[in-house]
Amino acid sequence: MALNSVCSPEISPDPADQDYAAQYCNDFVSRWDELIDWDKRAAGEGQFFTDLLLRAGVCRLFDAATGSGFHAVQLRKAGFNVTACDGSPTMVTRAKANFAIRGLDIPVVCRDWRDLDPRQLGTFDAVLCLGSSLCHVFDERERIEVLKRFRSLLRPGGLLLLDQRNFQAILHGNFSSSGRYYYCGKTASVTLGELNDSLCEFVYTFADGARYRLRVFPVLPGKLRGEMESAGFVAQKSFGDFKSVYDPLRADFIIHQAQA
Ligand code: SAM
C-alpha cells in the first residue's frame, strides 16, 4: 500500500519503504513471536503500562499497532477492555491466533491508521501505539494526520501512549539492542543496515540464517513530541526504557505519554 506522496525532503526515495504491510511478509510475521519472546518481554516491561493506565483511570483501550497481539493480551489479562487493531493482514491473522490459543475473546480490526473512524469504532479512554510503529509513516504531515486519527478515538482527556526506538541515540552511533525489553528472543539478533536522517533500516537475523528487514523513518523524540502537540495532544511525559530518569543518548526505547 503506497502512501500519498507528498513532496517533502523527509520522504524516503523508495516507495517500497513506505509499504509497511509488504514488509511484514508471512515468513517474517510467523517468526515475530520468536523475535519478541513474550515471557522475557513481559518481565522487562513489568507493570509499566498497567500502572500508567490504571493511574489514568483507563477502562477501554485501543491497541492501534497490535502486531501479533502482545500488549492486547497482557492488558486484557490485567482486566482492561481491549480492542486490537493493525493494518497488516498477516499480523492480524497472527494476533487472532494468539488470542484464540489463550482463550481470549479480544475484538480485532484490520485497519490502516488513516482509516480509523470513531463513528465505526467508538471512543476509548486510551490509545496505544507501541513497539516502535509510528516510524513506518515517513512524512511528518502524514504522522500528524495519523496522530489526529488516534486523538479522534479518544474521549476528552484520554491517554495516548506511544513509543519509538531511540532514534536520537541511534543517529549518534549508540544503537544497542540490549535484548532486555522489546526484542528479547535469543534466536534472533537485530542490527542496523542503512542509516541516515531519513531512513533507518533494521536487520533481523535468525539463528538458521533467515534475514528480514524493516525500513522506517528515524523520528527524533523531540520532533515526535512536537508532532503530537500539532495533532492537538498535550504532551505530558517521556520515559526511557520505562524509567522517568534516563540518559537520552543511551536508552533503547522512548515512551511518550500525552493527553487528548
Ligand atoms: N506492537 C507490536 C509489537 O510491539 O510487537 C508490533 C510492532 S511492529 C514494529 C509495527 C506494527 O505497526 C506492525 O504490525 C504494522 O503492521 C503496524 N503498522 C505500521 N503502519 C501502520 C499503519 N499505517 N496502519 C496500521 N498499522 C500499521
Side-chain angles (χ1 to χ4, degrees), residues 147-161:
L147 288 163
K148 284 182 181 169
R149 290 275 174 171
F150 290 167
R151 191 163 159 262
S152 75
L153 294 184
L154 283 167
R155 63 162 168 78
L159 185 71
L160 173 71
L161 293 176

Side-chain angles (χ1 to χ4, degrees), residues 130-149:
L130 299 177
S132 200
S133 299
L134 189 67
C135 55
H136 279 290
V137 181
F138 278 73
D139 180 67
E140 175 178 351
R141 277 165 291 179
E142 291 199 359
R143 279 193 303 277
I144 294 170
E145 284 310 309
V146 165
L147 288 163
K148 284 182 181 169
R149 290 275 174 171

Side-chain angles (χ1 to χ4, degrees), residues 111-185:
R111 190 83 46 95
D112 189 278
W113 298 325
R114 282 156 279 242
D115 299 326
L116 296 176
D117 185 341
R119 289 166 303 184
Q120 293 158 4
L121 297 164
T123 53
F124 298 83
D125 304 313
V127 169
L128 275 54
C129 182
L130 299 177
S132 200
S133 299
L134 189 67
C135 55
H136 279 290
V137 181
F138 278 73
D139 180 67
E140 175 178 351
R141 277 165 291 179
E142 291 199 359
R143 279 193 303 277
I144 294 170
E145 284 310 309
V146 165
L147 288 163
K148 284 182 181 169
R149 290 275 174 171
F150 290 167
R151 191 163 159 262
S152 75
L153 294 184
L154 283 167
R155 63 162 168 78
L159 185 71
L160 173 71
L161 293 176
L162 194 159
D163 67 13
Q164 283 300 156
R165 273 193 185 270
N166 185 358
F167 291 111
Q168 188 179 3
I170 291 173
L171 287 166
H172 269 81
N174 291 347
F175 174 69
S176 72
S177 189
S178 65
R180 272 178 299 155
Y181 300 116
Y182 284 60
Y183 299 111
C184 306

